[in-house]
Amino acid sequence: YQGSITIPVVINILEDANHPVTQAHINSQIDILNEDYNDLNPNAGGVPNEFNNDIANVDITFVLETVNRKASSKSSWGTNDAMKHSNQGGIDATDPAHKLNFWICEIGGGILGYAQFPGGELATDGVVIGSDFFGENARGGEYGHGRTATHEVGHWLNLRHIWGDGRCKQDDFVTDTPSSDQPNYGCPSYPTVHCRSNDMTMNYMDYVNDNCMYMFTNGQNDRMRTIFATGGPRESFVN
Ligand code: ARG
Ligand code: ZN
Ligand code: CA
C-alpha cells in the first residue's frame, strides 16, 4: 500500500489512583507516535552515517478519537488479555477493524507493553501499555518517554524485534536491518558489533532506552505497508 495512512486511536484506561494517566500523557503519546512514524523524532540526527539512507518516513498519522476510563484497583493484569474484556473487569475493544485500540493498565511482571500481531482475533486486537510507560514524563524512568507505544505499534504493524529473537541467522524478515543475535539495552555507544556487523541499536524494534531509539528502516516500512494492501490483514484501515 502506497500513500499516507491515517489510524484512528481509542485509548482504554483501567484507572488505578496510584498510577494516573493524564490527558497530558495521552496527548504527548499521540504526538510521539506521530513524530516517530513520520521521521520527526528530535534525536534522529544521531543516526550514524552508515544507516542514514535506511531511515524511513512511514507516513502514518495517528488521530485520537476516544478515551474510555474505568476504575480498577487491579495491580497486575498480566498478558492474558483480561483488560480487553468487560466481563473480566476490562474494557471491550471499539471497532477494532477500523481503529487501533490501546489498553493502559498495570501489567505487572516488569512488562512494559505487549501487542497483537496482524491476523489475530479482532476482539483482542491492539496494544497494551503499562500505565507507568505511557506518554512523555511517565513514571518509567528511561522508559518514561513514550517509545514503548512506538515499539508495540511496530509489532501491531507486523514488525519483529530487530535481532530476530534468535541467533545471527534468525531473521527479522527485513533486509536493511543488520543481523544481530541479541537485544541491546541502555544507550549503547556506536559501534556496537554483533554477528560481524554494527547493530542498528537506535532502531525502535531494539530494547534500548526510549531516548536512544529513533528510526525505522525502509525495509521495515515496506513490511508494515504490506499488511494494508488488498487482501492484507489490515486492509480494512485504508478502505
Ligand atoms: N519489552 C517490550 C517488548 O518486547 C517493549 C520494549 C520497549 N522498549 C522501550 N525502550 N520502551 O515488546
Ligand atoms: Zn517487542
Ligand atoms: Ca534483518
Side-chain angles (χ1 to χ4, degrees):
Y1 185 82
Q2 313 265 341
S4 306
I5 297 170
T6 301
I7 309 256
V9 172
V10 176
I11 312 267
N12 303 296
I13 303 172
L14 283 310
E15 289 196 293
D16 170 343
N18 296 320
H19 302 269
V21 177
T22 64
Q23 191 63 42
H25 287 133
I26 297 168
N27 294 343
S28 62
Q29 184 63 75
I30 299 290
D31 289 347
I32 288 163
L33 285 168
N34 284 325
E35 284 175 4
D36 295 352
Y37 281 85
N38 290 274
D39 185 25
L40 295 170
N41 185 308
N43 295 333
V47 174
N49 279 335
E50 69 167 311
F51 301 139
N52 244 314
N53 292 332
D54 300 321
I55 301 175
N57 176 351
V58 181
D59 196 9
I60 296 181
T61 301
F62 299 87
V63 179
L64 179 62
E65 207 160 83
T66 320
V67 178
N68 300 313
R69 292 179 181 270
K70 181 172 176 176
S72 169
S73 55
K74 192 161 170 171
S75 60
S76 191
W77 284 86
T79 55
N80 71 353
D81 291 338
M83 73 291 288
K84 304 174 180 177
H85 302 285
S86 56
N87 61 8
Q88 294 175 50
I91 301 174
D92 292 330
T94 302
D95 193 9
H98 303 99
K99 300 175 203 299
L100 166 54
N101 279 257
F102 279 89
W103 287 269
I104 318 303
C105 60
E106 284 295 289
I107 302 173
I111 295 159
L112 304 175
Y114 72 97
Q116 183 168 304
F117 280 89
E121 226 188 288
L122 263 186
T124 50
D125 196 44
V127 169
V128 183
I129 308 284
S131 3
D132 290 347
F133 313 107
F134 187 73
E136 185 53 275
N137 295 317
R139 290 162 297 271
E142 299 291 1
Y143 302 118
H145 304 291
R147 260 77 214 192
T148 297
T150 301
H151 176 109
E152 298 308 332
V153 170
H155 287 315
W156 184 79
L157 294 169
N158 211 26
L159 296 187
R160 305 297 183 103
H161 290 139
I162 190 168
W163 70 97
D165 293 306
R167 317 271 311 245
C168 294
K169 285 195 170 142
Q170 181 62 51
D171 205 2
D172 63 350
F173 309 113
V174 172
T175 52
D176 59 5
T177 52
S179 164
S180 186
D181 58 355
Q182 56 195 272
N184 294 289
Y185 294 94
C187 205
S189 58
Y190 174 83
T192 292
V193 182
H194 293 118
C195 304
R196 298 159 169 247
S197 59
N198 298 339
D199 278 6
M200 192 185 278
T201 64
M202 61 294 304
N203 193 281
Y204 293 118
M205 301 317 287
D206 208 326
Y207 268 4
V208 295
N209 290 348
D210 281 14
N211 284 336
C212 302
M213 45 170 64
Y214 32 82
M215 70 176 287
F216 287 116
T217 68
N218 293 314
Q220 288 174 318
N221 183 28
D222 290 344
R223 187 169 165 83
M224 290 191 266
R225 285 181 164 274
T226 300
I227 63 175
F228 294 98
T230 306
R234 300 210 184 283
E235 177 191 16
S236 54
F237 280 81
V238 293
N239 287 323

